Amino acid sequence: LRSSEAEFNARQQELNEALSVKAKLQKQLDEQELSPADAERIISEREAATVEQGQVNQKREGMQKSAWEIEMTIAKKLEQLENMTSKYNEVAARLKLVPKSAQNSQGVDFELKLNLAGFGNGEDLLNVDVKKVLKTSLFSLKDSAMTKTNEIKTQCMEFQEQVEKNEEEKVEVESRILRLEQELKELEKN
């Protein structure tokens, strides 16, 4: 019985200590500013924030992918522009439009140069305003060439007419010479 009593007392002691710890924890919980409802709310907000963070990460990844695609498109377009500029400059050189002192340039700088370094800083991509300067100058050059071409055609037609007239006169002179030679032969016979 003594051992049962001792065991009972030990268990009673453990119970009292547990109740004391429980009371201490309950007091601590009661003194806390957060209630169990607050803790539940914080947990649900944290879960919502985690979901929102996942959505934001997905959007960020989508935006990064879009930005990369745009950068690739820009890079391809710039490469195409570089190729077109190079081809334009080659044709301009064959047409004697470049350099500025070339035979057909009329003092206009027709050479195109890309300004890739300054383009992002608000500067123009090309060294020349294509629509205002080049297009206008090229149309002026075209008009000048057309005028010269028409003048040359007119001169050619005049020359052709003169050649035809000279041919006719030549035929007449040759015919006259033949007739005179025949007359001379007949006079010699007589």
Side-chain angles (χ1 to χ4, degrees):
L1 191 60
R2 273 190 174 200
S3 84
S4 289
E5 198 173 300
E7 194 175 315
F8 174 75
N9 287 338
R11 297 272 184 221
Q12 186 67 34
Q13 180 71 22
E14 283 179 33
L15 179 61
N16 287 341
E17 287 175 7
L19 288 174
S20 172
V21 168
K22 179 183 173 195
K24 195 186 242 185
L25 288 174
Q26 185 62 46
K27 181 180 176 188
Q28 227 179 3
L29 186 62
D30 291 342
E31 289 176 358
Q32 273 186 339
E33 294 179 16
L34 294 177
S35 67
D38 289 336
E40 292 280 330
R41 181 182 49 78
I42 289 171
I43 290 170
S44 69
E45 286 177 1
R46 183 179 65 201
E47 289 171 354
T50 302
V51 169
E52 189 174 329
Q53 182 182 11
Q55 292 171 343
V56 167
N57 286 341
Q58 284 179 342
K59 284 182 184 178
R60 186 190 73 224
E61 288 171 5
M63 289 172 67
Q64 286 174 337
K65 182 180 177 187
S66 292
W68 180 82
E69 289 171 353
I70 290 170
E71 286 176 12
M72 292 306 294
T73 301
I74 289 171
K76 286 179 185 176
K77 294 294 181 186
L78 286 175
E79 185 178 340
Q80 289 174 348
L81 183 59
E82 285 175 338
N83 290 337
M84 289 172 61
T85 301
S86 177
K87 287 178 184 176
Y88 164 85
N89 286 331
E90 288 173 12
V91 170
R94 282 196 308 258
L95 294 173
K96 298 179 183 172
L97 294 173
V98 292
K100 191 175 183 177
S101 60
Q103 179 182 353
N104 296 327
S105 72
Q106 297 179 341
V108 177
D109 187 7
F110 284 99
E111 186 174 5
L112 287 180
K113 297 174 191 165
L114 290 178
N115 180 14
L116 296 178
F119 180 60
N121 300 326
E123 296 179 25
D124 290 332
L125 182 59
L126 294 172
N127 64 320
V128 177
D129 186 335
V130 174
K131 287 184 180 180
K132 289 182 181 176
V133 176
L134 287 186
K135 190 174 180 182
T136 304
S137 297
L138 287 171
F139 276 123
S140 173
L141 184 63
K142 176 187 166 198
D143 291 343
S144 175
M146 292 296 286
T147 301
K148 285 181 184 177
T149 301
N150 287 336
E151 289 173 2
I152 291 170
K153 281 182 181 179
T154 302
Q155 283 180 346
C156 283
M157 288 172 57
E158 290 172 359
F159 288 146
Q160 185 65 33
E161 287 175 9
Q162 186 64 42
V163 166
E164 288 174 4
K165 185 178 176 184
N166 289 345
E167 282 292 322
E168 287 175 7
E169 287 178 4
K170 178 184 167 192
V171 167
E172 285 178 20
V173 167
E174 287 175 349
S175 172
R176 214 162 117 208
I177 289 173
L178 281 175
R179 198 178 38 177
L180 288 172
E181 285 177 346
Q182 283 178 353
E183 284 179 13
L184 181 63
K185 282 182 184 180
E186 279 184 31
L187 286 175
E188 287 178 352
K189 284 183 184 179
N190 290 337

